[in-house]
Amino acid sequence: MIELLLLVGVAVAAFVGYNIGGATTGPAFGPAVGADVISKAGAAALMSVFFFIGAGTLGQRVVTTLGEDLVTGANVFTLETSIIVLFFIGGALFVGNFAGVPASTSMTAVGSIAGLGIATNTLDWAVMGEIAIWWLVAPIIGFWVSGVVGRYFYSAIDRWVAIESTEGALFEFDRSGLIPRPVLGPNTTRRELTGGIVVISIGCLMAFSSGTSNIANAIAPLVALDGVEMTPMILLGSAAVAVGAFTIARRTLDTLGNDITDLPLTAAIVVAVVSSGIVISLSAVGIPASFVIIATMSIVGLGWGRATRTVTVRQGIKGEKEPKVSVGALTADEMPEIGEGDASDIPSASDLFNPGTSARVVLMQNIVPILSTVGALVTFTLLFTFVWQGQF
């Protein structure tokens, strides 16, 4: 019976990993796919490799936080409770993936485990508080770092990484030899190649950061059990993520690459670097971070930074000139020097975001963690009240 339950637990963990692959491939490689720099299959392959590298290194620290530190009871994580926790994580993420929306896997997982902890009175509120504080602070850091970049450095970065797209593929395979080798496309320019390498590299960085933070969401409840080793579970979770990246992630790649926003490629690169840097830093100290929320605030901060270029710091303090603060500034091809220009020339937010898709994304990103948390809390409360009385 125990072996059967363990097999079920492994299957549910794989299901969670599958949905993590679907939820995180879009944010990582959506800009590259949207810019036709890489195919969906190529994005999935790179996602699989760099997720595993992140999971096998810094990801182990986050596994320890969720599996050992967040709940304190010695017998709380059993095969039965672990399966239920993973079920609510995977089920909630599947709802988001089915809607084509990349939800926060970290918030969903922490919510499900917290539901177990509250129901059993074993939640370590100090650890939960530390995680929650960083969930509030990290997006603020992302906003201000991106804001400074947008105000002072965006134009220079844009000139450096801009991709001049030409007809045809960026790379092709020369099959004249025994082993096919990649060669430049017939129309690929050196500038296009450089820009393509940059945006693909950023996607790989994001995939690595996803592995550091998200592997715990799939395997932590099982690793917390006696006799379950971390390394085999990391291999299992990473393999499941790869399957999700090659299949269900196609929906989130479409949403992030084409539907939600006309985010310029330079802006996407800035947001990716800032957000990934914050997520990797938090993973290094064992904090599961929400990349989706950090990235959203980074987009807003970047738009704010570009929009405020029409006002100097002195003018802003004295109230002599009012900026038109809008993330729509990200769509402007040219921005004025600091202190010059008219705020009325800044594009509106509607020029950047698709309102309908944006509303759906925001709604689902809130619903998914709530489904996981409330579902786990109610289920465990009922089970410990009427079924498992005195057994834990």
Side-chain angles (χ1 to χ4, degrees):
M1 182 64 180
I2 293 178
E3 289 78 5
L4 178 61
L5 280 177
L6 182 59
L7 183 62
V8 172
V10 169
V12 177
F15 177 68
V16 174
Y18 168 78
N19 282 284
I20 289 174
T24 58
T25 304
F29 289 97
V33 171
D36 294 324
V37 173
I38 191 173
S39 67
K40 291 179 180 179
L46 291 175
M47 180 72 196
S48 304
V49 171
F50 284 90
F51 184 96
F52 171 69
I53 296 173
T57 53
L58 299 180
Q60 298 188 42
R61 301 183 182 185
V62 185
V63 172
T64 301
T65 297
L66 293 190
E68 300 178 10
D69 300 340
L70 189 55
V71 290
T72 57
N75 299 318
V76 174
F77 276 120
T78 65
L79 271 174
E80 294 88 347
T81 59
S82 297
I83 290 171
I84 295 172
V85 165
L86 289 170
F87 170 80
F88 280 107
I89 297 172
L93 289 176
F94 181 77
V95 171
N97 285 329
F98 184 78
V101 175
S104 170
T105 54
S106 293
M107 294 181 70
T108 303
V110 170
S112 184
I113 296 174
L116 167 64
I118 294 173
T120 57
N121 198 30
T122 58
L123 180 66
D124 190 323
W125 288 99
V127 175
M128 185 68 237
E130 183 181 7
I131 293 173
I133 288 173
W134 277 112
W135 280 354
L136 295 174
V137 172
I140 296 174
I141 295 174
F143 173 90
W144 282 108
V145 171
S146 297
V148 171
V149 171
R151 181 174 169 86
Y152 297 106
F153 306 108
Y154 186 92
S155 297
I157 296 173
D158 190 46
R159 289 191 296 269
W160 180 60
V161 303
I163 294 180
E164 299 174 352
S165 298
T166 59
E167 293 185 5
L170 188 67
F171 295 100
E172 293 181 347
F173 284 96
D174 182 359
R175 304 181 185 276
S176 59
L178 292 177
I179 300 176
R181 59 187 182 88
V183 295
L184 296 182
N187 300 314
T188 301
T189 64
R190 183 180 297 274
R191 184 172 181 80
E192 183 181 13
L193 175 63
T194 302
I197 291 174
V198 168
V199 74
I200 291 174
S201 299
I202 297 304
C204 294
L205 174 65
M206 293 173 70
F208 174 84
S209 72
S210 176
T212 65
S213 182
N214 289 321
I215 188 63
N217 305 331
I219 68 172
L222 289 181
V223 173
L225 301 174
D226 291 335
V228 178
E229 298 294 331
M230 185 180 297
T231 300
M233 292 305 299
I234 287 178
L235 292 172
L236 169 74
S238 298
V241 167
V243 175
F246 276 99
T247 55
I248 198 172
R250 292 177 176 273
R251 293 177 64 89
T252 55
L253 280 169
D254 285 336
T255 299
L256 271 292
N258 302 304
D259 295 343
I260 182 175
T261 177
D262 294 323
L263 193 66
L265 192 57
T266 302
I269 290 173
V270 172
V271 169
V273 171
V274 172
S275 303
S276 296
I278 294 173
V279 170
I280 292 171
S281 299
L282 292 179
S283 297
V285 294
I287 300 295
S290 173
F291 179 89
V292 172
I293 293 177
I294 295 171
T296 300
M297 289 303 296
S298 294
I299 291 172
V300 176
L302 191 61
W304 175 85
R306 292 204 79 196
T308 57
R309 286 178 63 87
T310 59
V311 181
T312 64
V313 174
R314 177 173 295 182
Q315 288 172 333
I317 293 175
K318 292 184 176 180
E320 297 174 354
K321 198 172 181 181
E322 291 292 331
K324 176 186 174 183
V325 180
S326 171
V327 290
L330 294 179
T331 61
D333 293 328
E334 297 291 338
M335 292 297 291
E337 295 297 323
I338 294 178
E340 299 179 359
D342 195 319
S344 62
D345 296 330
I346 297 173
S348 65
S350 61
D351 295 327
L352 176 64
F353 289 102
N354 180 314
T357 304
S358 299
R360 175 168 61 90
V361 169
V362 172
L363 178 65
M364 292 304 300
Q365 286 179 355
N366 284 277
I367 286 178
V368 169
I370 291 174
L371 284 175
S372 175
T373 305
V374 174
L377 175 60
V378 172
T379 300
F380 284 118
T381 298
L382 293 175
L383 287 173
F384 279 92
T385 302
F386 299 107
V387 181
W388 293 334
Q389 299 182 52
Q391 295 184 33
F392 295 89

